[in-house]
Amino acid sequence: MAPPGRARSGAHGEPEGNDVAENGEPVLRLVGVNKSFGPVHVLHDVDFTLRQGEVMALVGDNGAGKSTLIKCIAGIHPIDSGVIEYDGREVKIGGPRDAAELGIEIVYQDLALADNLDIVQNMFLGREQRKGIVLDEDAMEEKARETLARLSVRTVKSVRQQVSSLSGGQRQTVAIAKAALWDSKVVVLDEPTAALGVAQTRQVLDLVRRLADTGHAVVLISHNMNDVFEVSDRITALYLGRVAAEVKRTDVTHGQVVELITAGRSGDLGLAPTSAAETI
Amino acid sequence: MSTDIPRLADADFAADRRQLDVRSAVSDYWARVRAGELGAIPAILALAFLVVLFTGLRPETFLSKGNVANLFTQALPVTILAMGLVFVLLLGEIDLSAGVASGVCGAVMAKLIVDSGQPWYVAVIAAIAVGVVIGTAIGWLVSVIRIPSFVVTLALFLGLQGITLKLIGKGGTVPVRDDVIVALANKNMPIWLGWTLAVVVSLGYAGSQLWRWDRQRRRGLHGKPVQLVAARVLVVAVILLFGTFVLSLDRAPSPLVTLAGIPWGVPLVAVLLIIATFVLDRTAYGRHLYAVGGNAEAARRAGINVTRIRMSVFMIASGLAAVSGIVAASRLNSVATDSGAGNTLLYAVGAAVIGGTSLFGGRGRARDAILGGLVIAIIDNGLGLLGVDAYANFLITGGVLLLAAGIDALSRRRRSATGR
Ligand SMILES: Nc1ncnc2c1ncn2[C@@H]1O[C@H](COP(=O)(O)OP(=O)(O)O)[C@@H](O)[C@H]1O
Ligand SMILES: [Mg+2]
């Protein structure tokens, strides 16, 4: 089912002076994407739409195909069939570099920060700015700090701190800020709060919201319904590799989303009973 | 930049925004030390301890002018070898064959000069090329075939000794008499040149440090307080100038001749140190090295070619091993079948680790090789003056390496306990 051009929920966390288009064209659109690993058909005709300035929660049980879906977006897995549109034109994402060039940044669950490097060095890793052959440390430090300031990251004492000295929440913050550094349009976060305590979860959720408010399109994968309902604008529920439903957050309850995750349907939402059954 | 200040002010980079005063910089430093970032501290303590120890045990000989100069030339080969190993250790890999590779390269150079009558520069270039080829082979086996570096280089440790033996012939030695090569470890710079270089390097260091401090201050970036920058510049300058002074004293045993000046090998090591430090600290390649050593998966996802980085460090290590072999040949005026074998590698790994390079990867600097190389040279030299038996020498050297590795492992544990 291609998602209808729903109006974006404007009720939540809309900051003053946000110039993001309310009903803009989708930044990223997947239409009828299929993906198999050998005989295992993991993604079935997946449609997925992402708009600028909104947080799209991607939910689903373990093994539903969430990670596989974002790896297709990240260029790690080639898709078998279907179309990926970016900014309205069809693209082939052949590898992580292609994704980065398009402006798609992924923050994986294990973060992948180098403990022995400082915050600036991590944020620019692999894309260092140079003057000739020499690293332009000053420019990188300024830009890193500007990005952190834009996202109102307040907990970092110094951007020249080694990452090994940071707390779990701070590390997550750095990983997310790194994704936001590159004028990226799409930021995908895989379970960013899974390992965090209450206060740190708070910080990270605020940051996720600010990412969207500063014009990024955000995909948030989470198992935590509280997180999902707190920051997302829309919710896509995957059930056994199919999109069970794509709904506005304000249109559904916790219970309905949990049913979509566990059974693929909830009342008149979700997959038809036959289709849910044949998936198995 | 001024337009950014109000925006920056609402983020809480306290330590970045205010110009650090000495007290908070020192307490930051102390906190880092307590968290396991020992830096150069163990090496400096070891140096002080050993100097006091050997001066106490051999007051007339250890600090004699002749022996001090001797210490420097003794430290040259191990320091150069260690500097190459720092690159390998930064990735958490090991090169057990670096010592014998230096032997092979030394033999190649000696044979080319003696048997083929080649000029010294041809022989030197050929020796370094052989080193790089050896490193390429190791690098390929480790990074492409993915055999653990420990196994690859253990195999080469044996194999390369065979090559040296084949090149030189059983029990033989090849004498090295080329003037330029011999001069490296046996001849000294003119006094005036030594002083000129010492002053130029001191001023250059001071200039670059202060310039950097000023730039960071003007752009509102993270930096050290000027007092600490000045203190650091002063310490480096004093060491350089005092060293030059000591080495410029006449150390000839007889009053009839003069023997004074900095051995030519010392500026060679200085140049290598400056290049290696530049590469590690100021280039993207160096940054990627640290990243691969710290978290290879993160580096791979950041688009860094981990295979190529892994390959390159073995090429650098074996290339520098060749230079080390040349200097060692110069010092001994010959290459023997057991050149670079025995405890050569143990010394070099010990030097890097004592200097502060971690065996676990991700931490280490080029200067570690210098500090650790001096420690090792003092141990070797002091034990020689004491006339310690060979068996005790082996025991002590092995013990020192274990001690250094133990400190490395404990400070790493400390770091992971205090981190997060
Ligand atoms: N590389 C792979 N090879 C084979 N099967 C895979 C691979 N990656 C994922 N799968 C399978 O695809 C399904 C979806 O996995 P995944 O996308 O990781 O789910 P989720 O992230 O939603 O928990 C699972 O059944 C998993 O076993
Ligand atoms: Mg997953």
Side-chain angles (χ1 to χ4, degrees):
Chain A
M1 255 335 87
R6 283 177 211 267
R8 173 176 173 275
S9 135
H12 181 87
E14 201 74 322
E16 241 66 29
N18 186 0
D19 53 6
V20 169
E22 280 281 290
N23 239 328
E25 278 299 293
V27 181
L28 182 73
R29 205 152 92 107
L30 276 64
V31 184
V33 166
N34 282 282
K35 175 69 194 170
S36 302
F37 295 106
V40 192
H41 197 162
V42 177
L43 297 179
H44 299 257
D45 296 325
V46 168
D47 297 332
F48 185 73
T49 309
L50 197 59
R51 289 191 180 77
Q52 195 185 23
E54 77 173 6
V55 177
M56 166 66 95
L58 181 60
V59 299
D61 218 344
N62 281 328
K66 306 183 294 293
S67 296
T68 305
L69 180 60
I70 65 159
K71 281 176 182 162
C72 290
I73 297 172
I76 292 173
H77 297 322
I79 57 175
D80 298 341
S81 65
V83 174
I84 301 181
E85 279 175 19
Y86 189 84
D87 266 348
R89 66 198 162 82
E90 189 178 342
V91 291
K92 292 269 172 286
I93 304 178
R97 290 220 173 240
D98 290 357
E101 259 163 44
L102 287 172
I104 301 173
E105 293 285 328
I106 318 275
V107 180
Y108 292 96
Q109 209 165 343
D110 59 356
L111 299 188
L113 298 171
D115 266 357
N116 58 335
L117 298 182
D118 67 30
I119 294 176
V120 179
Q121 293 169 341
N122 265 291
M123 286 176 71
F124 281 87
L125 191 58
R127 297 185 261 194
E128 291 83 3
Q129 297 190 356
R130 309 172 205 194
K131 274 187 192 155
I133 59 162
V134 182
L135 294 171
D136 190 350
E137 295 284 352
D138 296 359
M140 290 192 279
E141 186 173 327
E142 271 168 2
K143 199 165 168 205
R145 212 165 344 150
E146 231 173 73
T147 302
L148 289 166
R150 169 163 71 83
L151 297 170
S152 309
V153 173
R154 296 172 161 281
T155 61
V156 181
K157 185 174 153 214
S158 162
V159 289
R160 288 298 184 184
Q161 243 177 312
Q162 279 205 348
V163 164
S164 62
S165 68
L166 299 180
S167 72
Q170 288 174 322
R171 295 161 68 88
Q172 186 74 52
T173 304
V174 170
I176 295 174
K178 176 182 180 177
L181 180 65
W182 300 103
D183 298 327
S184 47
K185 283 197 174 158
V186 175
V187 177
V188 181
L189 306 164
D190 197 353
E191 305 242 10
T193 60
L196 302 183
V198 177
Q200 301 192 332
T201 298
R202 173 83 271 128
Q203 281 169 20
V204 169
L205 291 181
D206 286 348
L207 181 54
V208 169
R209 191 62 242 172
R210 270 195 303 276
L211 268 181
D213 293 345
T214 52
H216 301 271
V218 183
V219 180
L220 172 73
I221 298 182
S222 181
H223 273 122
N224 186 320
M225 282 308 124
N226 290 328
D227 293 1
V228 167
F229 273 81
E230 199 171 326
V231 292
S232 69
D233 299 306
R234 287 187 303 148
I235 301 169
T236 296
L238 278 183
Y239 178 73
L240 299 175
R242 291 172 194 271
V243 176
E246 195 231 63
V247 292
K248 254 168 47 174
R249 175 190 53 93
T250 45
D251 291 350
V252 287
T253 63
H254 274 47
Q256 282 178 303
V257 175
V258 171
E259 274 179 34
L260 285 171
I261 291 172
T262 52
R265 50 181 290 104
S266 167
D268 53 355
L269 278 174
L271 299 164
T274 48
S275 129
E278 86 197 11
T279 308
I280 318 213
Chain B
M1 284 304 102
S2 56
T3 52
D4 284 329
I5 286 165
R7 259 203 296 161
L8 292 181
D10 67 16
D12 194 19
F13 312 107
D16 289 345
R17 281 183 293 118
R18 82 183 118 84
Q19 200 60 48
L20 278 180
D21 58 292
V22 176
R23 182 120 66 88
S24 63
V26 168
S27 79
D28 275 5
Y29 175 73
W30 185 237
R32 278 206 306 277
V33 169
R34 286 170 48 108
E37 306 274 350
L38 296 181
I41 293 175
I44 289 168
L45 290 181
L47 277 177
F49 169 76
L50 290 167
V51 168
V52 169
L53 178 75
F54 288 127
T55 310
L57 292 172
R58 283 289 176 275
E60 16 3 286
T61 44
F62 181 68
L63 279 188
S64 70
K65 285 173 276 184
N67 196 48
V68 169
N70 200 16
L71 267 176
F72 277 94
T73 47
Q74 208 166 350
L76 291 175
V78 66
T79 299
I80 298 170
L81 200 57
M83 206 178 286
L85 283 170
V86 166
F87 285 80
V88 174
L89 294 175
L90 269 177
L91 296 198
E93 305 277 356
I94 186 75
D95 183 354
L96 299 174
S97 68
V100 292
S102 79
V104 170
C105 298
V108 167
M109 177 202 67
K111 292 285 279 185
L112 280 175
I113 292 175
V114 174
D115 290 1
S116 321
Q118 296 291 336
W120 67 270
Y121 48 89
V122 172
V124 164
I125 290 171
I128 294 175
V130 169
V132 173
V133 168
I134 293 172
T136 310
I138 300 172
W140 184 75
L141 289 168
V142 172
S143 61
V144 179
I145 307 296
R146 301 298 280 139
I147 308 173
S149 59
F150 164 75
V151 177
V152 172
T153 59
L154 188 59
L156 260 80
F157 174 74
L158 286 177
L160 291 178
Q161 290 186 65
I163 292 185
T164 311
L165 199 59
K166 177 82 182 125
L167 280 175
I168 294 183
K170 238 180 266 162
T173 58
V174 182
V176 177
R177 298 213 184 80
D178 181 87
D179 286 341
V180 176
I181 302 294
V182 168
L184 262 183
N186 297 293
K187 291 281 184 317
N188 305 309
M189 288 196 284
I191 307 276
W192 65 266
L193 183 56
W195 278 112
T196 311
L197 281 184
V199 169
V200 166
V201 171
S202 300
L203 287 179
Y205 183 69
S208 75
Q209 293 289 308
L210 290 173
W211 182 60
R212 179 150 150 224
W213 171 82
D214 182 57
R215 213 182 52 222
Q216 287 172 333
R217 183 184 55 86
R218 275 188 290 109
R219 291 178 75 163
L221 300 173
H222 182 77
K224 290 194 174 56
V226 70
Q227 295 92 330
L228 286 194
V229 175
R232 184 182 193 162
V233 164
L234 206 65
V235 167
V236 168
V238 165
I239 291 174
L240 280 176
L241 296 175
F242 182 73
T244 307
F245 169 73
V246 170
L247 291 172
S248 298
L249 296 174
D250 181 13
R251 53 181 178 267
S254 127
L256 298 176
V257 287
T258 43
L259 178 59
I262 300 172
W264 279 105
V266 173
L268 170 68
V269 169
V271 168
L272 292 176
L273 171 69
I274 291 168
I275 294 175
T277 304
F278 175 82
V279 167
L280 288 177
D281 290 358
R282 299 263 161 266
T283 67
Y285 169 75
R287 180 66 39 83
H288 295 172
L289 261 180
Y290 283 98
V292 173
N295 187 341
E297 177 59 18
R300 197 184 60 73
R301 286 199 204 144
I304 294 169
N305 188 334
V306 176
T307 307
R308 213 161 61 197
I309 295 271
R310 216 176 251 135
M311 186 132 170
S312 69
V313 294
F314 290 100
M315 295 165 70
I316 291 171
S318 301
L320 282 172
V323 178
S324 163
I326 293 166
V327 175
S330 163
R331 197 166 94 81
L332 302 174
N333 294 312
S334 67
V335 179
T337 48
D338 64 346
S339 286
N343 55 13
T344 309
L345 181 87
L346 196 84
Y347 273 170
V349 175
V353 176
I354 291 168
T357 296
S358 172
L359 291 164
F360 301 99
R363 276 161 214 275
R365 318 194 52 184
R367 66 134 202 251
D368 296 351
I370 310 281
L371 289 170
L374 278 176
V375 171
I376 289 288
I378 290 178
I379 293 174
D380 196 35
N381 178 286
L383 293 180
L385 292 179
L386 293 178
V388 168
D389 284 335
Y391 83 89
N393 201 327
F394 278 120
L395 281 175
I396 292 171
T397 320
V400 168
L401 178 56
L402 269 188
L403 184 69
I407 292 173
D408 178 29
L410 287 178
S411 54
R412 174 183 142 99
R413 248 175 56 180
R414 181 103 201 164
R415 279 196 302 269
S416 51
T418 45
R420 318 233 144 176

